[in-house]
Amino acid sequence: MKQQSESISASNPNRIQVVFKRDPPKKANEPLSASINSIVHSELSILFNELEGLVGLTDAKKTIYEIYALHQINKEREKHGLHLEKQVFHMVFKGNPGTGKTTVARLFGKIFREMGILTKGHLIEVERADLVGEFIGHTAQKTRELVKKAMGGILFIDEAYSLARGGEKDFGKEAVDCLTKSLEDLNNDFICIIAGYNEEMENFLELNPGLPSRFPIHIDFSDYNVDELIQIAHIMTKNKDFELTVEASDKIRRSLMTIVNNPFQLNFSNARHIRNCIEKAIRVQAVRLLRSNELSREDLIHLKAEDFAL
């Protein structure tokens, strides 16, 4: 407790009046996201709220909050002349398709820009064909040009393990070697994120001895469970000015339960599967409504169970 004031009452000069002010109670176990959101500026708060609005992605959210906290504390250490470790933010995103890797990479770029880690925060998304050339020297040139375009932002390499598929004589290894050098030379204003399946990414990092140390941050993108996928379905339809009827939602849930419980199901595309189902349902709904003479707003909005061919 802090003593706020001490005064002698005018009516009784022999009595001392003491007023105490209690410190406001601290919230126990306040989520890290809430703690950080209460102190960041408005633009960064908007981006953090956008990240929090994404379903799942626990590891990605935890990692970016840790980076923000570290960045702020390093500023305080710098004020006091304390030693600062050089931070490397190149990342490996590991997970199946449709788990939000590209969405998070794009959002990370904007967050890093607002934090002052990157000057632009844009995302350059590439794959094997964009990096690997057709003759000796061509690959290095293409890779350097893409890194140059990504300066100030993020170079996002999807299915990065495909660079290792051609064997020793393939130009993919040349792209990896060139990229490894760029990671060392241009680390101040450039972040590289490589993404792909869990096991394949682990094997890819063994392609060049210098790769593992240059990608210190690994983020796992877990498959969504059925409840999360249903939540995603409702968000997607709402963003398109549609609504799922109860029957449609139940039909999607039954279909998802069949998929996730199938031990022989491989490479399930998670949110991408939901998006494809909804886009197909919207087309089916359009055909169904075309036969009607008069359409209400509810008719146009509602996606019914019969619109989903599951």
Side-chain angles (χ1 to χ4, degrees):
M1 294 189 293
K2 297 178 181 179
Q3 181 173 315
Q4 185 183 45
S5 65
E6 182 177 293
S7 61
I8 299 177
S9 171
S11 60
N12 188 348
N14 296 320
R15 190 178 75 183
I16 297 176
Q17 181 179 1
V18 181
V19 179
F20 292 97
K21 179 182 178 182
R22 295 179 181 272
D23 289 331
K26 295 182 179 179
K27 296 180 180 179
N29 300 322
E30 184 178 48
L32 181 58
S33 59
S35 301
I36 288 178
N37 238 337
S38 65
I39 59 175
V40 299
H41 61 80
S42 58
E43 289 299 321
L44 198 50
S45 177
I46 290 171
L47 292 171
F48 280 146
N49 285 333
E50 185 177 344
L51 179 63
E52 281 298 314
L54 299 176
V55 177
L57 306 174
T58 303
D59 199 21
K61 293 173 183 177
K62 177 175 177 287
T63 300
I64 197 65
Y65 293 139
E66 290 174 348
I67 291 173
Y68 173 80
L70 176 64
H71 187 62
Q72 293 303 111
I73 294 303
N74 276 345
K75 288 182 180 179
E76 296 300 317
R77 290 178 61 87
E78 189 174 18
K79 290 179 185 178
H80 293 277
L82 296 172
H83 175 73
L84 299 179
E85 288 289 339
K86 181 181 178 182
Q87 295 298 316
V88 177
F89 297 116
H90 302 307
M91 306 179 184
V92 180
F93 283 6
K94 296 182 291 185
N96 289 326
T99 49
K101 296 187 291 294
T102 306
T103 300
V104 168
R106 189 173 291 111
L107 198 48
F108 273 17
K110 296 175 183 178
I111 291 173
F112 282 131
R113 180 194 64 210
E114 292 300 324
M115 288 169 56
I117 293 175
L118 295 174
T119 56
K120 298 179 182 177
H122 63 297
L123 183 80
I124 301 295
E125 184 178 356
V126 301
E127 54 187 19
R128 176 188 165 90
D130 301 305
L131 295 165
V132 179
E134 300 174 356
F135 49 84
I136 296 175
H138 190 208
T139 294
Q141 178 186 345
K142 292 181 72 174
T143 303
R144 283 194 294 266
E145 286 176 354
L146 287 169
V147 169
K148 186 177 180 179
K149 287 182 180 179
M151 289 303 297
I154 290 177
L155 179 66
F156 181 78
I157 307 177
D158 198 15
E159 297 185 355
Y161 49 80
S162 63
L163 295 172
R165 284 179 174 169
E168 287 294 323
K169 296 182 180 180
D170 183 72
F171 292 134
K173 189 175 185 302
E174 184 182 354
V176 174
D177 294 340
C178 182
L179 179 64
T180 304
K181 188 175 188 306
S182 297
L183 296 177
E184 186 67 28
D185 297 344
L186 305 171
N187 190 48
N188 291 334
D189 191 21
F190 158 65
I191 291 176
C192 181
I193 299 176
I194 55 176
Y197 296 106
N198 288 8
E199 186 176 349
E200 284 86 345
M201 291 308 298
E202 293 294 339
N203 294 335
F204 170 72
L205 290 172
E206 297 175 1
L207 183 65
N208 184 303
L211 276 178
S213 62
R214 287 173 173 79
F215 289 93
I217 301 175
H218 289 218
I219 299 179
D220 291 319
F221 287 74
S222 302
D223 287 339
Y224 293 108
N225 60 40
V226 172
D227 287 338
E228 289 173 333
L229 289 169
I230 292 295
Q231 189 179 348
I232 289 171
H234 283 283
I235 292 172
M236 285 183 176
T237 51
K238 183 179 180 181
N239 289 341
K240 296 175 181 292
D241 278 338
F242 287 92
E243 290 180 11
L244 293 174
T245 63
V246 174
E247 293 78 14
S249 182
D250 289 342
K251 186 174 183 179
I252 296 173
R253 179 180 291 276
R254 290 193 299 272
S255 174
L256 290 172
M257 291 293 291
T258 300
I259 293 173
V260 300
N261 290 327
N262 182 358
F264 302 104
Q265 175 67 40
L266 297 175
N267 302 330
F268 174 55
S269 60
N270 288 275
R272 194 177 301 168
H273 172 81
I274 296 295
R275 184 187 65 210
N276 292 340
C277 288
I278 289 172
E279 290 178 353
K280 171 66 174 175
I282 290 173
R283 296 195 298 271
V284 174
Q285 184 226 42
V287 173
R288 173 171 60 81
L289 295 181
L290 199 61
R291 303 188 182 100
S292 303
N293 294 325
E294 295 184 10
L295 296 172
S296 66
R297 187 174 187 275
E298 287 69 26
D299 291 330
L300 295 168
I301 289 175
H302 288 149
L303 292 176
K304 299 182 177 182
E306 63 194 86
D307 298 324
F308 289 87
L310 300 173

